[in-house]
Structure formats: structure tokens, C-alpha cells
Amino acid sequence: MSKRLLVTYRKFLRVQLSGRAIFSEEKELSSQNKRFSSTMLPTTSPQNGSLSARDAARHTAGAKRYKYLRRLLHFKAMDFEFAVWQMLYLFTSPQRVYRNFHYRKQTKDQWARDDPAFLVLLSIWLCVSTVGFGLVLDMGFVETLKLLLWVVFIDCIGVGLLISTLMWFITNKYLLKPPSKDYDVEWGYAFDVHLNAFYPLLVILHFLQLFFINHIVVINSDWFLGYFVGNSLWLTAIGYYLYITFLGYNALPQLQNTVVLLYPFALLVLLYILSLSLGWNFTKGLCWFYKYRVQ
């Protein structure tokens, strides 16, 4: 009887010891997993309303800009099909384009594009249309090349950076809601809004207008019909630019009183009426300016 009790007691001790060993082993694995996750894996869950240092570093403007510029060298990683979709809807329904910006904010925690495909296609459009302008204005190869450099680096990039920075400053300085001071407008988003608004203007003034300069209606002449058609194209192009710019900033929930961005429409219509009354021809002025640039 005593031997049987001794054997049972020994089995009980083995079970207890093995259970403690398993518990200590699981505890050690749990602590190792915690150390691994804290050092190797970035966390996205905020603690006390703030992101971890590693996660915050991934969301800085510098990190986003580096990721964007790095993807410029990888054409296979760009979504050109989606960029073409955006270009089409900027003419027909630009609100749908900005709804996609909302989706990007919810999924990637940024308003600005992280894919440079739109910028690449816009640059191609700009180069092709500028070469078309050179052909229509009877420019030589060297003159067309000079015009292309002027349009790309000054009109598109230089003016684009200036307008984006100005709008970024104005919206953050005057249009932010008081409780939203910590959620400012991203400069990259301001640049994207400019690109969105610039694309219809480019297509109208640098592509559609080419067919009217020396054909159909000679809009660079002094005829009333010529500068009526030409100035109407300018009115439509700049109107598109103002409207799409308004939609871009109106889509941001941290901004208020964005309707002020539509006020330049009144000045635009007044200038259009005044140009028709005084016989101003904006297209003729643009053609003269392009020729003067490359001399």
C-alpha cells in the first residue's frame, strides 16, 4: 500500500514539475515575442492618442516624399490604368477623383498621391502638346526644344510649385478650423490639387486649341469670331482650374469657408466680357509670347 502511494506521489511531482516547465517556457516565449514586436515590427495602433516613434517616422513628409520619388524610377510599380481613369473623370466627374483621395486617407493615412503615374502621364501630355504648338507656329527643332524646356520647367514645374506653396500657406493660415490646428493641409496634397486642376487646362489650351489656331477658326487673328472662340476656350480652361481647385480643398474636413476659392470666378467672367468688348485676343498673345521666348 505504501509503495503504491509512493509511486502515485512521484507521478504527481513529475506532473507538477512538467507543468511549471511548460508555463515558464510559454512565459519566456511570450516575453521574446513582445521584445521582437517592439523592436522589429512597426505598430500602427496609437497609444494614448499618439503613434509610436517608428510609426510616426513613417508618416513624416520626408518619408512620404522619399517613397514617392523612389517610385518614379520603377515604372512597373506605377498604376497607369488608374491614372488614366482619374484623367477622364477630371473632365466628367471630378468629385469621384477626390472621393478616391478620401479612401487613400482612410487606408494609407495620407491625402497626397503615393503613386507618380499621374505626374508621368501629365508630363507626357505636356511634351506632346508643346511639340504640337511648335509645329503649328512653324518653329524649328531648336526653337521647339527651347519652348519645351520653358514650358516643362517654368510653366509647369516652377509655376506649379509656386501656386501649390501659396495655396498650402493660405489654407493652413486662414481656412483651418480652430480645433484642427494639428491636422494641417499636406503640401503634397496641395501639389496634387494643382496637378488635377492643371490637366484640363492643359488639354483645352495646349491640345484642343491647336486645331483652331490655323484651321477651322483662325483664333489668333483679329476677327471677332476668332478671339470669341479663343477667349471662350480660355474661360473654360481657367474655369475648370478654379472649380477643380475648389473641389480639392472643399474635400478636406479640417477646412472651412472654402467657398472663397470660387470668388475669382466673378473676376474671370468680368475679364472675359471686357476682352470681347475691347478686342483682346489671349491666344494671339500666347502665340506671340511663345515665339518671343525662343528667339
Side-chain angles (χ1 to χ4, degrees):
M1 183 69 179
S2 60
K3 290 183 179 179
R4 189 175 298 176
L5 288 174
L6 183 60
V7 171
T8 305
Y9 179 71
R10 287 178 178 176
K11 290 182 179 180
F12 175 75
L13 286 178
R14 290 195 191 102
V15 171
Q16 291 293 323
L17 291 175
S18 61
R20 289 180 182 177
I22 293 173
F23 176 76
S24 61
E25 185 178 356
E26 290 179 349
K27 188 176 180 180
E28 179 65 21
L29 288 174
S30 178
S31 62
Q32 289 179 359
N33 288 335
K34 288 181 179 179
R35 288 196 299 269
F36 176 77
S37 62
S38 62
T39 56
M40 299 297 293
L41 298 177
T43 177
T44 56
S45 59
Q47 298 177 353
N48 298 326
S50 61
L51 295 174
S52 66
R54 183 179 294 272
D55 192 55
R58 293 191 301 114
H59 288 80
T60 60
K64 295 175 182 177
R65 183 168 55 249
Y66 172 76
K67 180 181 178 182
Y68 184 87
L69 294 176
R70 185 179 61 182
R71 293 189 66 177
L72 276 173
L73 303 177
H74 299 83
F75 282 89
K76 293 183 179 180
M78 299 183 194
D79 191 352
F80 289 105
E81 183 178 353
F82 181 64
V84 171
W85 175 87
Q86 289 181 317
M87 288 181 169
L88 292 176
Y89 274 99
L90 282 173
F91 276 100
T92 58
S93 181
Q95 297 90 340
R96 296 189 62 177
V97 176
Y98 287 115
R99 280 200 293 269
N100 175 261
F101 279 79
H102 267 285
Y103 176 74
R104 183 182 300 109
K105 175 62 177 176
Q106 295 172 358
T107 56
K108 300 183 179 180
D109 195 28
Q110 70 177 64
W111 286 97
R113 289 187 177 97
D114 60 343
D115 186 353
F118 187 92
L119 178 61
V120 172
L121 291 182
L122 180 65
S123 302
I124 295 175
W125 260 105
L126 185 62
C127 293
V128 172
S129 61
T130 303
V131 171
F133 244 103
L135 294 175
V136 169
L137 298 180
D138 295 326
M139 294 182 180
F141 175 78
V142 177
E143 294 176 332
T144 303
L145 182 60
K146 288 181 180 179
L147 179 63
L148 180 61
L149 295 176
W150 269 100
V151 171
V152 171
F153 291 102
I154 303 300
D155 297 346
C156 182
I157 298 178
V159 176
L161 293 176
L162 180 62
I163 293 177
S164 302
T165 304
L166 181 63
M167 293 301 299
W168 170 77
F169 173 78
I170 291 175
T171 52
N172 285 315
K173 183 71 174 179
Y174 301 106
L175 300 182
L176 273 183
K177 295 178 181 177
S180 302
K181 293 299 181 181
D182 295 333
Y183 302 95
D184 59 346
V185 178
E186 302 172 11
W187 186 91
Y189 181 76
F191 187 67
D192 279 337
V193 170
H194 167 72
L195 294 182
N196 292 341
F198 181 74
Y199 172 70
L201 183 145
L202 171 67
V203 173
I204 294 173
L205 295 183
H206 256 233
F207 180 71
L208 295 179
Q209 191 172 219
L210 292 178
F211 298 97
F212 295 91
I213 291 180
N214 293 328
H215 306 282
I216 305 177
V217 178
V218 184
I219 59 178
N220 63 339
S221 65
D222 293 328
W223 299 351
F224 174 79
L225 182 60
Y227 60 77
F228 171 75
V229 174
N231 292 1
S232 298
L233 289 175
W234 278 82
L235 174 69
T236 305
I238 299 177
Y240 255 114
Y241 186 91
L242 295 176
Y243 179 62
I244 294 178
T245 300
F246 160 75
L247 289 179
Y249 293 105
N250 190 57
L252 298 179
Q254 66 265 36
L255 296 184
Q256 61 181 352
N257 301 325
T258 53
V259 69
V260 299
L261 300 177
L262 293 176
Y263 289 173
F265 263 109
L267 180 62
L268 178 64
V269 174
L270 179 62
L271 183 61
Y272 171 73
I273 297 174
L274 188 63
S275 67
L276 296 181
S277 303
L278 299 178
W280 296 344
N281 192 325
F282 297 139
T283 303
K284 185 177 181 179
L286 179 66
C287 294
W288 173 86
F289 180 64
Y290 277 177
K291 290 181 178 179
Y292 174 78
R293 267 182 166 179
V294 299
Q295 288 179 356

